[in-house]
Amino acid sequence: MDQKLQILLDTVKKLIRRGAFPNLSKVVDKTHPADIAHLFRYLDLKDQRILFNLIEDIETAAYVLSEIDHSAGAQLLEQIEKERITEVLQEMPYDDAVDIIRNMPEELAEAILNSMQDEYSDEIEQLLAYDEDTAGGIMATEIFSLSEGLTVGQAIESLQQATDVEMVFYLYVTDDHGHLVGVLSLRQLLTVLPNTQLKEIMIRDVISVRTDMDQEEVAQLVAKYNILAIPVVDDGNKLMGIITVDDVIDVMRQEATEDIYKMAGASEEELLYGNKSFKIARLRLPWLITNLFGGVMTGYLMWQFRATLEQIIALISFIPVITGMGGNVGGQSATIVVRGFATGRFDSSTMRQVFFKEVRVGMIMGAVCGLTVGLVAYGWHHNPYLGLVVGLAMVTAMTVAASMGVLAPTFFKRFGVDPAIASSPFVQTANDITGILIYFGTATMFLSYLR
């Protein structure tokens, strides 16, 4: 947080603590809505409610609410009077209002929809029919389109009269039945003769997405073609809405956050629990219990090789090295692949190439690390065969871990599961188990030389 916002936050907290609400109201009136929204991250629910209730202008309140995390926004609105909730939601873009309503308790959401004006509730219920992670779930339906039969002069006149619609530098052109047939820019519209028909100058090859396309794929398309917005159509190519680049940025941030949490075995839901330790622990425990059983399995495998350990006790020295390096290499490969899927750089057609590349990288790193740890083992225990065993096990374990780092997220991706899970702690435990098997298997093969 920069110094300006820190001073603002300290001022707001001080005024709330003192109950100086008239002064706080003046501060709110002079502050940009985006800055007000930023403050909500650092306030508890009680202070959020006080601050939000002091925003008298409904349009400003709607702006602030749209900038807050949707789950936190829904939680905040539960503390507000229903009449004010309805007023604020009706002032918001439909797609933002839908995101808030999705996170509300079902009874409250239904009550709010019933209290809304028909035109708002109908639009919102239409958007609620789409899955929240699809193009239909994040699109804005307040769009501006032009009929292909209009002239440029008529189009400009229509454009001047358009209000309260989601519009960027692209103008979408439809036929008489509302089907998307073309697109043109504002620059095109202003640089041709007024009597020119739109169908003569529009670009017919329009980049669009279906309502059921996953939001992550939508974000990849926008990034690939460097466009400011993308139209959403139904199965019959009828124009249903538009997704603008600010929505795409939110999607990218959301997807990246989800991946990071999954890779750490945590959940974004924790943010809603504040300092409620037991609820947060309950969210994290399933991952840790999985790791716990993985650790027990590793211990069980070591017990199965107890005869080897009893004869060559020096093998204990390098167990942490083998398992640790395998886990690190597997995590690196999995992270590269997960990121590749997220950005659209990797797909099923490139995974064979990626697999063999990561295997080669694993072998090279394994050879370097294996040679190093082998020399350490020889110098430490004065046994050349122990150095050979540790070195070979290191090369094999790191190569196998690199291949698993590619195969695990690819497997999950193919079966419709978020590949980020492949970088989570419980999958890395699999590398520990594999490393133990490789290490003690190699040691058992060379047992007669190690004695």
Side-chain angles (χ1 to χ4, degrees):
M1 183 186 295
D2 60 36
Q3 186 176 4
K4 177 185 173 182
L5 284 176
Q6 184 62 58
I7 293 172
L8 178 61
L9 177 61
D10 293 341
T11 301
V12 168
K13 285 184 174 180
K14 185 190 300 181
L15 293 175
I16 291 176
R17 189 167 58 250
R18 293 177 178 177
F21 299 140
N23 293 335
L24 181 57
S25 183
K26 292 178 182 178
V27 172
V28 169
D29 291 340
K30 295 177 181 179
T31 305
H32 192 282
D35 291 333
I36 298 174
H38 190 79
L39 298 180
F40 278 75
R41 303 180 188 179
Y42 307 97
L43 300 174
D44 59 29
L45 190 58
K46 179 183 176 182
D47 290 347
Q48 287 180 3
R49 177 172 55 83
I50 292 172
L51 185 59
F52 190 77
N53 281 331
L54 289 173
I55 305 174
E56 297 181 359
D57 182 63
I58 296 298
E59 189 174 343
T60 301
Y63 186 105
V64 170
L65 190 61
S66 66
E67 292 295 314
I68 300 173
D69 178 79
H70 297 135
S71 299
Q75 199 173 44
L76 169 63
L77 288 187
E78 291 177 38
Q79 315 297 316
I80 309 297
E81 294 180 359
K82 290 182 181 179
E83 293 76 12
R84 182 167 171 80
I85 297 176
T86 303
E87 289 178 355
V88 173
L89 290 178
Q90 288 184 162
E91 194 63 38
M92 295 174 66
Y94 292 128
D95 54 329
D96 289 332
V98 166
D99 289 331
I100 296 290
I101 291 174
R102 285 186 196 276
N103 288 278
M104 285 182 172
E106 190 173 342
E107 291 184 5
L108 177 59
E110 188 173 345
I112 295 301
L113 285 173
N114 290 335
S115 66
M116 282 184 169
Q117 298 176 18
D118 290 342
E119 60 179 297
Y120 290 98
S121 60
D122 290 345
E123 288 284 351
I124 288 175
E125 287 176 356
Q126 181 183 344
L127 287 174
L128 285 171
Y130 298 109
D131 189 90
E132 62 180 320
D133 293 329
T134 63
I138 63 173
M139 70 181 179
T141 54
E142 309 99 310
I143 53 174
F144 180 78
S145 63
L146 297 164
S147 173
E148 63 179 339
L150 294 178
T151 64
V152 168
Q154 292 171 327
I156 292 175
E157 187 178 344
S158 298
L159 188 60
Q160 291 171 336
Q161 296 173 357
T163 58
D164 297 328
V165 292
E166 193 77 46
M167 183 170 53
V168 287
F169 294 106
Y170 310 128
L171 300 172
Y172 298 104
V173 184
T174 58
D175 61 16
D176 294 337
H177 301 288
H179 299 125
L180 181 64
V181 293
V183 63
L184 50 85
S185 67
L186 282 173
R187 185 175 181 276
Q188 283 178 288
L189 198 67
L190 297 173
T191 55
V192 297
L193 296 174
N195 59 350
T196 307
Q197 286 194 319
L198 297 185
K199 60 184 176 183
E200 297 176 17
I201 60 171
M202 68 183 184
I203 299 171
R204 296 184 180 275
D205 186 17
V206 187
I207 300 168
S208 62
V209 296
R210 304 291 183 187
T211 52
D212 59 352
M213 178 179 283
D214 186 86
Q215 63 177 9
E216 194 168 359
E217 295 180 50
V218 175
Q220 290 170 4
L221 273 178
V222 172
K224 177 180 179 181
Y225 292 105
N226 292 318
I227 49 182
L228 297 175
I230 194 165
V232 183
V233 297
D234 64 9
D235 293 337
N237 202 44
K238 184 176 181 180
L239 182 62
M240 304 299 294
I242 183 176
I243 299 173
T244 52
V245 70
D246 58 317
D247 295 318
V248 171
I249 291 172
D250 289 340
V251 169
M252 289 179 170
R253 186 186 298 117
Q254 176 188 338
E255 294 289 343
T257 301
E258 286 179 2
D259 287 349
I260 290 170
Y261 277 120
K262 286 176 182 176
M263 290 166 69
S267 169
E268 190 173 8
E269 193 177 344
E270 291 183 17
L271 299 178
L272 299 179
Y273 290 149
N275 297 320
K276 298 176 181 177
S277 303
F278 283 102
K279 289 188 176 181
I280 293 174
R282 188 178 63 189
L283 290 174
R284 296 186 189 180
L285 270 174
W287 300 89
L288 294 179
I289 294 298
T290 304
N291 273 349
L292 177 63
F293 282 111
V296 171
M297 177 61 69
T298 302
Y300 173 75
L301 291 174
M302 292 174 63
W303 178 254
Q304 294 301 308
F305 285 101
R306 63 187 180 278
T308 303
L309 266 175
E310 288 170 356
Q311 297 181 57
I312 313 296
I313 196 67
L315 291 170
I316 293 177
S317 308
F318 300 97
I319 292 175
V321 181
I322 299 293
T323 56
M325 294 301 290
N328 288 337
V329 171
Q332 288 174 339
S333 296
T335 300
I336 294 297
V337 174
V338 169
R339 184 59 182 164
F341 281 138
T343 58
R345 294 185 62 187
F346 295 165
D347 55 33
S348 56
S349 64
T350 60
M351 289 317 298
R352 181 183 178 87
Q353 179 182 354
V354 173
F355 173 78
F356 285 111
K357 184 261 291 183
E358 287 297 321
V359 168
R360 290 195 299 272
V361 171
M363 290 179 65
I364 294 170
M365 294 190 300
V368 174
C369 294
L371 178 61
T372 302
V373 76
L375 291 173
V376 170
Y378 173 63
W380 185 356
H381 297 285
H382 308 290
N383 187 332
Y385 289 105
L386 178 62
L388 179 62
V389 166
V390 175
L392 285 175
M394 179 68 78
V395 175
T396 308
M398 290 179 69
T399 304
V400 170
S403 64
M404 288 179 62
V406 177
L407 293 176
T410 304
F411 172 82
F412 286 122
K413 178 75 171 178
R414 177 165 294 182
F415 287 93
V417 179
D418 193 330
I421 295 176
S423 294
S424 62
F426 85 89
V427 176
Q428 293 184 33
T429 303
N431 283 327
D432 294 343
I433 294 173
T434 305
I436 288 294
L437 285 172
I438 292 171
Y439 182 40
F440 284 105
T442 306
T444 303
M445 289 172 57
F446 287 86
L447 188 59
S448 58
Y449 297 98
L450 291 172
R451 292 172 181 159

